[in-house]
Amino acid sequence: MQSQTKRLLTAEQLDAMLRRSSGTGCRLEGELTDGWFNSAYRVRLDDGRPAVVKVAPPDGVPVLRYERGIMATEAMVYRQLDAAGGVPQPELIHQGPDFLVISVLDGLPWDKAGGDKADGHEALRHELGRITARLHTVRSPDGRFGYPAPEAGLDGPDWPTAFTAMTEALLADADRWEIQLDHPHAEIRSLVAAGTGALAEVTEPALVHFDLWPGNIFIANRSVTGLIDHERAFYGDPAAELVSLDFGGDTGPASPLVTGYREAGGRLDFTPTLHHRLALYRLYLGLLLVAECGPRGYTDADHIAFSRGMLRDAVRALRELG
């Protein structure tokens, strides 16, 4: 995916960057073009190991507020999940000042391996539910909700405060890039405010990946081999994970994914307030997808229509909740 936030490097620049930071150089094997924010390169390190180098946008390139400092967030999540155990992911080989070096996973991204037609799809969703439950056992180290990067400044002592700040930041981003939303800012604020009581039911800030669509889940031999791209992670309501997980299959109460989640100790009670929160999280993701078209320079009509459609559907659902 082409994006204005991607930094394009030559083989010589990549090698020099790694050598300065880690003492180990690399040989470029190819650019990985599926990412939508960072640039990524498949390389062979001097010691022979295959690896992926993820490079943050160039200094001075405008990004959404929540995206400030998210390369460090991704590295932090790799370390947290490694310490917690039970969540397959790449090895974090090295963290540079504006890049990460991670190991290469076995298999393919789920969307490239057949999506919902992949061999053993239901069993894979069941396994993914169990993995997601283990991911959610990680808690905020300081007890605060929201995005962990201090550069973003989008956290708070409780979930309603943090979520409201996160939404306000996206509204401000839409204004900054002169993106006309299909709904007045005042209506979106009103819908979020009406959900404060439902949001307040969340009292423990769990780690939420918030980008578990099939492209960020690797599979091989009917097994999940790893989760990637942790940079969008925040501390908040574990149920928010269902919004991106829904892109890969059923997330209803009787689904294989939720069954696996509960078997691994995760709690999901599909109460009216949970459905209210899920509608808010769909609103948030829809707003995020629309707003990011500005700094990234997206012009793909299908993607823009999908993003705006998601936002419209969430607004409609929240209106119906009253």
Side-chain angles (χ1 to χ4, degrees):
M1 183 72 161
Q2 293 301 312
S3 170
Q4 293 175 173
T5 61
K6 287 189 174 183
R7 188 194 311 187
L8 300 180
L9 299 176
T10 65
E12 293 75 17
Q13 289 172 323
L14 267 174
D15 178 69
M17 183 179 72
L18 264 67
R19 202 171 293 279
R20 282 194 306 268
S21 180
S22 68
T24 299
C26 68
R27 183 177 74 254
L28 176 63
E29 294 186 338
E31 182 184 359
L32 303 175
T33 58
D34 288 342
W36 292 39
F37 179 66
N38 302 300
S39 54
Y41 301 92
R42 172 75 179 250
V43 303
R44 181 76 56 172
L45 300 178
D46 284 350
D47 60 12
R49 284 180 295 173
V52 172
V53 182
K54 294 186 64 172
V55 185
D59 291 339
V61 170
V63 297
L64 299 180
R65 182 170 168 185
Y66 93 89
E67 293 172 331
R68 299 174 187 172
I70 62 173
M71 179 72 73
T73 293
E74 179 164 13
M76 179 198 71
V77 173
Y78 275 122
R79 294 188 176 100
Q80 286 184 316
L81 293 179
D82 185 58
V87 178
Q89 61 174 357
E91 173 193 357
L92 177 61
I93 297 172
H94 180 72
Q95 179 183 3
D98 54 0
F99 69 93
L100 302 178
V101 183
I102 59 176
S103 65
V104 174
L105 289 170
D106 291 336
L108 294 170
W110 201 329
D111 63 326
K112 299 253 184 335
D116 60 3
K117 301 295 191 296
D119 192 21
H121 178 74
E122 289 197 0
L124 284 163
R125 292 286 288 179
H126 182 272
E127 181 187 5
L128 179 60
R130 296 182 65 87
I131 291 169
T132 304
R134 291 194 289 271
L135 185 153
H136 292 163
T137 63
V138 176
R139 295 288 188 265
S140 168
D142 59 4
R144 291 183 71 79
F145 292 78
Y147 290 104
E151 298 94 326
L154 295 174
D155 63 344
D158 56 65
W159 185 223
T161 299
F163 184 77
T164 300
M166 290 158 60
T167 306
E168 285 290 341
L170 288 177
L171 291 174
D173 285 328
D175 282 344
R176 181 182 179 187
W177 275 278
E178 300 181 343
I179 297 171
Q180 295 298 314
L181 302 178
D182 297 330
H183 313 281
H185 286 24
E187 180 180 18
I188 292 174
R189 291 189 176 103
S190 177
L191 293 171
V192 172
T196 297
L199 294 169
E201 287 192 354
V202 181
T203 57
E204 287 190 88
L207 179 67
V208 181
H209 186 287
F210 206 59
D211 201 11
L212 289 179
W213 73 289
N216 285 339
I217 303 163
F218 274 65
I219 62 171
N221 300 319
R222 297 191 176 190
S223 182
V224 176
T225 58
L227 310 182
I228 65 169
D229 288 359
H230 304 317
E231 66 256 30
R232 195 180 278 175
F234 58 72
Y235 297 112
D237 182 0
E241 209 77 89
L242 296 180
V243 176
S244 61
L245 286 167
D246 190 57
F247 294 144
D250 185 12
T251 57
S255 65
L257 183 132
V258 171
T259 299
Y261 187 86
R262 288 170 170 162
E263 287 177 1
R267 181 177 177 181
L268 274 175
D269 299 321
F270 285 80
T271 62
T273 51
L274 175 66
H275 286 290
H276 194 157
R277 298 202 308 273
L278 287 173
L280 288 168
Y281 305 147
R282 292 187 182 100
L283 170 81
Y284 180 77
L285 183 57
L287 184 59
L288 185 157
L289 294 175
V290 171
E292 73 181 11
C293 292
R296 300 188 188 187
Y298 292 160
T299 58
D300 182 87
D302 290 339
H303 176 73
I304 292 171
F306 171 82
S307 303
R308 288 187 173 274
M310 184 174 188
L311 181 57
R312 282 195 302 271
D313 290 346
V315 167
R316 187 182 306 113
L318 286 165
R319 285 172 178 166
E320 292 172 357
L321 287 170

